[in-house]
Amino acid sequence: MTGQDPISIEEALIYVMVIVSASDNAMTDSELASIGDMIKTLPVFENYDERNVIPAAQRCGDILQEENGLSLVLELVGDILPSKFYDTAYALGVEVAAADLHIEAEELRVLQLLRDRFGLDKLTVAAIERGAIARHRRH
């Protein structure tokens, strides 16, 4: 991204996954694998070139290093994503947080910030979170 080139919807979604994963200062192998799997399989990424994932994650990381970096990323993502993708973005964030079967307080904080930024209602949030619990349950 140079100067003020806008990011794509797909890149905004990648930013959401990165900020959740990086929130506890440790992007685990499980979280990275989850991000990769979602990019490979979800319809929203069907036209996205997977070779752009690492550069996108690096750009997000660069923004996070700036003063108020998390706020900047949240603002950018909120500005880029059409409202119909708010629940998708939140669901991707929840999947990343749940990937290593342990959700840190920092991840919960970022998820709360996403809920607030996107204005998601409690029923939508509960459904997304319950679905993630069901998908990641072990016996």
Side-chain angles (χ1 to χ4, degrees), residues 60-80:
C60 181
D62 290 344
I63 297 169
L64 287 173
Q65 296 303 312
E66 295 178 25
E67 187 175 341
N68 298 316
L70 180 58
S71 295
L72 292 171
V73 172
L74 288 169
E75 184 176 332
L76 177 61
V77 166
D79 289 347
I80 294 296

Side-chain angles (χ1 to χ4, degrees), residues 2-3 9 11-12 17 20-21 23 33 44 48 53-54 60 62 72 77 89 96 100 102 106 116 122 132 135 137:
T2 59
I9 289 171
E11 189 160 331
M17 294 187 284
V20 171
S21 181
S23 64
V44 72
Y48 188 74
V53 173
I54 300 289
C60 181
D62 290 344
L72 292 171
V77 166
V96 170
D100 57 7
H102 180 75
E106 296 88 353
D116 293 347
K122 290 181 190 231
R135 280 187 298 284
R137 181 173 290 129

